[in-house]
Amino acid sequence: MKNIKMKIARTEADLSQEQLAETVGVTRQTINLIETGNYNPSLRLCIAICKALNKNLNDLFWEE
């Protein structure tokens, strides 16, 4: 399942995939895989992404 919420939050924060990846310590490809739904990040990575985007886990990773 694609992570549209994360992509929207990233673009609203005016960050490229590369910039977010640098901030959380992964590759741009990892961010791309998460956004396209082809990779399930660890809880540690989810938390790092949330902090970088000023969101909480429910905002970005909870399915409705």
Side-chain angles (χ1 to χ4, degrees):
M1 176 178 253
K2 290 185 179 185
N3 193 330
I4 301 299
K5 294 177 186 179
M6 185 175 130
K7 184 174 183 175
I8 290 169
R10 178 179 58 76
T11 56
E12 285 177 348
D14 199 31
L15 292 173
S16 67
Q17 287 182 345
E18 183 70 34
Q19 290 168 319
L20 178 57
E22 268 185 39
T23 302
V24 299
V26 297
T27 64
R28 183 204 56 80
Q29 289 85 352
T30 299
I31 299 299
N32 183 60
L33 288 171
I34 295 168
E35 288 183 357
T36 59
N38 294 311
Y39 180 77
N40 291 320
S42 67
L43 181 57
R44 181 175 295 213
L45 179 53
C46 289
I47 291 169
I49 291 168
C50 287
K51 286 181 180 180
L53 297 176
N54 199 27
K55 299 287 183 182
N56 64 47
L57 288 170
N58 288 341
D59 292 338
L60 299 182
F61 297 102
W62 190 258
E63 293 183 26
E64 294 182 11

